[in-house]
Amino acid sequence: MSKVVFITGASSGLGLATALYLNEKGYKVFGTCRNPSQYEKKYPFTFLSLEISDSKSIQSCIKHVLDQTGGRLDVLINNAGVGIIGPMEEIEINALRQHFEINCFGPLEIIQAVLPKMREQGEGLIINITSIASDFGLPFRGPYSAAKGALERMTESLRMETQSFGIRICNLAPGDFISNIAERRYYAFLNKDSPYFKTYQFSLNQINDDVDNGIDPKVIAQKIESIINILNPEVRYKVAAPLQKLSGILKSLLPSRIFEKLLMNRFKL
């Protein structure tokens, strides 16, 4: 019997690449987005409607998957998320709260919804898509680093709490990969009188260039399939360019001021 895979945020980017790849490999794939009607005839896997910050939507979506599969759910890939960028001083607090709802609290609520079924099955796998950015606070991406970091720490706790039930949980932290995240990212509004205007604009251009020159999301999809087939996955996997992988190591080895200076030089601060 094909494994049932549930992927949030499957209409574009990494989620879409993973859904297509796993479908091609014979998995029974359910992907989510806000408006399935735009995609359900376009791609060969099942699309479901999900609003990740809405509890009723989460419960309804999981129930639909279980109804369609005879009560089976083998793999959850928590991929849905949004970007946010801007100086910490000028990001609206409500935008920050909403960012955590989508990138942190929503994924946790989905995990809470699937764990009873996986525990009943005596097995299951949860892969939380986090980010290399969770290794440290990045200039003008503080909220994103913080939300992904929070999800990573919760994942570490969850995997210890659920291991005796046969449930495997891990983080997969991508670096920059080619996507349309810039179109869906929240941008803090800055006028030209802002003390951050010039450095923020430079950083924004740098960040977008990094995405445009990122790795193919199919590489990450292939890594996800390899994790599915690992009996005892590690707590965290990185899929990124060599320098991005090295950055976390450098933070642990270098004096904090030197590492901070390297980041500031990178973003002309």
Side-chain angles (χ1 to χ4, degrees), residues 97-138:
R97 289 193 179 102
Q98 182 63 16
H99 181 75
F100 268 77
E101 284 288 345
I102 295 172
N103 282 25
C104 184
F105 305 143
L108 176 60
E109 193 164 0
I110 293 172
I111 291 170
Q112 291 175 336
V114 305
L115 277 178
K117 172 52 64 177
M118 289 184 172
R119 187 165 54 249
E120 179 186 313
Q121 294 170 172
E123 62 179 349
L125 170 66
I126 297 170
I127 302 175
N128 289 327
I129 306 299
T130 58
S131 174
I132 287 286
S134 64
D135 283 343
F136 34 74
L138 284 167

Side-chain angles (χ1 to χ4, degrees), residues 23-261:
N23 179 79
E24 184 182 300
K25 292 293 183 177
Y27 295 86
K28 178 64 176 175
V29 176
F30 292 86
T32 77
C33 64
R34 288 180 174 175
N35 299 300
S37 60
Q38 296 182 25
Y39 307 102
E40 54 194 2
K41 294 181 180 180
K42 192 174 180 180
Y43 299 113
F45 57 90
T46 303
F47 265 104
L48 301 174
S49 175
L50 175 67
E51 176 52 66
I52 197 170
S53 59
D54 184 281
S55 298
K56 289 183 179 179
S57 178
I58 290 171
Q59 294 297 329
S60 174
C61 192
I62 299 300
K63 182 179 184 302
H64 188 89
V65 172
L66 296 176
D67 288 345
Q68 292 294 309
T69 62
R72 186 96 195 155
L73 203 168
D74 299 295
V75 181
L76 163 63
I77 301 172
N78 254 328
N79 167 72
V82 293
I84 185 170
I85 186 168
M88 293 300 300
E89 181 181 348
E90 301 191 14
I91 285 180
E92 295 178 5
I93 293 299
N94 285 338
L96 183 57
R97 289 193 179 102
Q98 182 63 16
H99 181 75
F100 268 77
E101 284 288 345
I102 295 172
N103 282 25
C104 184
F105 305 143
L108 176 60
E109 193 164 0
I110 293 172
I111 291 170
Q112 291 175 336
V114 305
L115 277 178
K117 172 52 64 177
M118 289 184 172
R119 187 165 54 249
E120 179 186 313
Q121 294 170 172
E123 62 179 349
L125 170 66
I126 297 170
I127 302 175
N128 289 327
I129 306 299
T130 58
S131 174
I132 287 286
S134 64
D135 283 343
F136 34 74
L138 284 167
F140 304 111
R141 283 188 284 181
Y144 187 77
S145 293
K148 290 296 188 178
L151 182 58
E152 289 213 348
R153 298 296 82 74
M154 290 192 295
T155 303
E156 292 170 2
S157 297
L158 277 161
R159 69 182 258 126
M160 291 185 285
E161 294 167 357
T162 60
Q163 203 167 88
S164 64
F165 307 130
I167 298 168
R168 299 169 292 152
I169 304 179
C170 67
N171 293 307
L172 189 148
D176 289 313
F177 60 91
I178 300 169
S179 74
N180 64 346
I181 190 172
E183 299 172 13
R184 298 175 285 108
R185 186 190 290 137
Y186 172 86
Y187 296 86
F189 174 77
L190 296 184
N191 59 47
K192 291 187 178 181
D193 295 328
S194 168
Y196 303 102
F197 185 80
K198 289 183 179 180
T199 51
Y200 172 61
Q201 189 60 56
F202 175 85
S203 294
L204 179 57
N205 293 337
Q206 185 71 55
I207 290 165
N208 289 337
D209 286 346
D210 289 343
V211 170
D212 291 341
N213 296 296
I215 61 176
D216 186 335
K218 188 174 180 179
V219 174
I220 305 173
Q222 292 168 337
K223 183 64 177 180
I224 287 172
E225 195 207 6
S226 75
I227 295 171
I228 291 173
N229 292 302
I230 295 173
L231 184 60
N232 295 303
E234 300 291 335
V235 66
R236 188 178 196 242
Y237 296 90
K238 293 183 182 181
V239 182
L243 184 59
Q244 290 182 332
K245 284 185 177 180
L246 181 62
S247 59
I249 299 172
L250 289 177
K251 184 184 179 183
S252 66
L253 295 176
L254 294 175
S256 59
R257 288 186 180 180
I258 293 177
F259 182 77
E260 184 179 65
K261 193 63 177 176

